[in-house]
Amino acid sequence: MVQAGGSHVTDPRDQATHPAPVLPFEAALVARGNKVDAIRSYRGRTGVGLRAAKDVIDGVETGETPIAPDDGVAQNPVLSVRETMPPPSMDEVALIRAGMKVWAIKAYRKRTGADLKTAADVMNEYEQHG
């Protein structure tokens, strides 16, 4: 951001001095190659700027950013979408029950930043196991 006098001013949201911990599902996104989704999720959850979120998520790859413990899920090498992604919201569940699965997937993607396959997997898992 450039100020009126030509001096450069940084967005305070881009300075994560004490970043919030990365959740296991966000680390799993990074491990699966969905770094953009991990950054989107982290930003949405914490409210930090793009640069700060990218730096934190980059730290997951290098081992510099700690991952929050979650009952051993982070140590499990084979994670299901139920373990790595947030559950559907009440509105998304209502859409599934109304037979509007495509709309539920769209809403889930918008809310979580998940890719299409992951969102569809979450909805399929919910349909099968409730």
Side-chain angles (χ1 to χ4, degrees):
M1 183 184 330
V2 178
Q3 213 173 20
S7 61
H8 184 72
V9 178
T10 58
D11 186 343
R13 294 178 304 158
D14 283 339
Q15 299 171 357
T17 54
H18 300 290
V22 172
L23 297 181
F25 80 87
E26 293 163 338
L29 286 171
V30 173
R32 284 188 275 164
N34 294 332
K35 195 170 166 181
V36 171
D37 289 339
I39 292 169
R40 187 178 296 138
S41 172
Y42 187 83
R43 285 188 72 199
R45 186 172 58 79
T46 63
V48 299
L50 178 60
R51 170 172 246 122
K54 183 184 179 312
D55 290 345
V56 169
I57 296 302
D58 284 345
V60 171
E61 287 183 314
T62 62
E64 297 170 9
T65 300
I67 299 167
D70 189 25
D71 298 330
V73 171
Q75 289 77 33
N76 186 349
V78 180
L79 301 173
S80 73
V81 291
R82 184 177 286 250
E83 295 169 318
T84 60
M85 295 300 294
S89 69
M90 292 176 67
D91 290 338
E92 293 154 2
V93 169
L95 288 169
I96 292 171
R97 290 182 179 159
M100 301 173 70
K101 187 174 174 181
V102 171
W103 291 101
I105 291 170
K106 284 182 177 186
Y108 186 84
R109 290 186 69 197
K110 183 175 182 179
R111 181 174 61 87
T112 64
D115 61 50
L116 179 60
K117 182 183 180 328
T118 302
D121 289 347
V122 169
M123 296 305 148
N124 289 335
E125 181 129 349
Y126 179 80
E127 277 186 318
Q128 293 172 359
H129 304 291

